[in-house]
Amino acid sequence: LKSFCVSRSLLGFFSMLVLLLLSLIAVALGDFRVKFDVVTTAGEGSFVVKVHEDWAPIGAAQFKELVEAKFYDDIRFFRVIPSFMVQFGLNGDPAKNTEWRAKTIKDEPVKESNRPGYITFAKTGAPNSRTTQLFINYADNGRLDSMGFAPFGEVEGNGMDVVKKIYNCGEKPNQGSIQSQGNAYLDKDFPDLSRIVTARVIGQDEL
């Protein structure tokens, strides 16, 4: 009986150890946060996106690489549909747009639905066409799930209060002109656009 009790104790200990290791592995695999410092119709503000690598590991890795390359610094929110989503992810430097347009990533299974506050890569109707453009869902856009739009993260806390203050430009800015002329085109023709000042990976101590 004593031996049985010891065995059960050891089993419980090892079970807890396995769970701890699994949780550490999950953290190591890629849950990370990105802070966006922005200027909206309400002035300066910020919001934080928590990235879940297990939702869409290919998209999460591409996003992290883009953030670390400072691709999203000093760019504009150029497509805003309040009942749908807000889109961004074209650089102010045309040369950078050309460089990253060639770095497409493969499609991947949609594991999470396009709920309000979830962030997703934009893409064309062609396979494996994701590059740099992103959108944050304003509404429940579950209809996008079957079309292959795979969320990889979510806006945390009250961050959507900031996101909803992004200037509503509709779909007026021309994406082709942004690609070829960058911020020069947007600042001349659409000076009121909300913008991202910086986007950077942050640690727990910065929350």
Side-chain angles (χ1 to χ4, degrees), residues 32-113:
F32 61 93
R33 289 175 169 85
V34 171
K35 182 180 180 182
F36 288 84
D37 290 315
V38 298
V39 177
T40 69
T41 57
E44 295 181 356
S46 66
F47 62 90
V48 173
V49 167
K50 182 178 181 181
V51 176
H52 301 271
E53 189 187 46
D54 58 322
W55 290 8
I58 299 172
Q62 177 86 337
F63 177 61
K64 190 171 189 180
E65 184 178 351
L66 284 158
V67 170
E68 291 177 339
K70 301 186 183 301
F71 184 88
Y72 297 115
D73 290 6
D74 191 28
I75 69 167
R76 313 295 184 258
F77 295 96
F78 60 81
R79 185 176 180 226
V80 183
I81 305 173
S83 62
F84 181 28
M85 54 91 235
V86 54
Q87 189 168 331
F88 61 101
L90 289 175
N91 197 267
D93 179 354
K96 288 187 178 180
N97 288 321
T98 300
E99 174 191 352
W100 281 90
R101 195 158 57 242
K103 298 181 180 181
T104 56
I105 57 174
K106 292 186 179 299
D107 294 333
E108 57 193 320
V110 178
K111 296 180 181 178
E112 294 289 330
S113 185

Side-chain angles (χ1 to χ4, degrees), residues 4-202:
F4 176 70
C5 290
V6 170
S7 297
R8 287 190 64 182
S9 297
L10 285 172
L11 182 61
F13 171 76
F14 282 118
S15 296
M16 289 179 62
L17 186 60
V18 168
L19 288 173
L20 176 61
L21 287 171
L22 286 174
S23 65
L24 289 173
I25 289 170
V27 171
L29 277 176
D31 279 7
F32 61 93
R33 289 175 169 85
V34 171
K35 182 180 180 182
F36 288 84
D37 290 315
V38 298
V39 177
T40 69
T41 57
E44 295 181 356
S46 66
F47 62 90
V48 173
V49 167
K50 182 178 181 181
V51 176
H52 301 271
E53 189 187 46
D54 58 322
W55 290 8
I58 299 172
Q62 177 86 337
F63 177 61
K64 190 171 189 180
E65 184 178 351
L66 284 158
V67 170
E68 291 177 339
K70 301 186 183 301
F71 184 88
Y72 297 115
D73 290 6
D74 191 28
I75 69 167
R76 313 295 184 258
F77 295 96
F78 60 81
R79 185 176 180 226
V80 183
I81 305 173
S83 62
F84 181 28
M85 54 91 235
V86 54
Q87 189 168 331
F88 61 101
L90 289 175
N91 197 267
D93 179 354
K96 288 187 178 180
N97 288 321
T98 300
E99 174 191 352
W100 281 90
R101 195 158 57 242
K103 298 181 180 181
T104 56
I105 57 174
K106 292 186 179 299
D107 294 333
E108 57 193 320
V110 178
K111 296 180 181 178
E112 294 289 330
S113 185
N114 281 273
R115 299 184 178 94
Y118 282 22
I119 187 169
T120 307
F121 270 96
K123 66 187 189 72
T124 69
N128 308 318
S129 58
R130 295 180 297 171
T131 53
T132 64
Q133 292 194 49
L134 306 167
F135 64 89
I136 297 172
N137 290 286
Y138 275 147
D140 186 343
N141 295 316
R143 59 192 172 80
L144 299 178
D145 302 348
S146 62
M147 299 164 67
F149 291 93
F152 61 86
E154 59 184 316
V155 176
E156 284 197 311
N158 61 356
M160 284 303 291
D161 292 343
V162 176
V163 175
K164 288 178 180 179
K165 296 287 197 326
I166 291 169
Y167 178 74
N168 180 11
C169 62
E171 300 181 84
K172 295 175 184 175
N174 181 277
Q175 292 189 36
S177 297
I178 305 172
Q179 292 270 14
S180 61
Q181 301 175 51
N183 284 348
Y185 158 70
L186 291 175
D187 292 347
K188 178 177 178 292
D189 290 3
F190 302 96
D192 294 328
L193 294 183
S194 294
R195 69 182 187 274
I196 296 170
V197 180
T198 59
R200 61 189 178 87
V201 178
I202 60 172

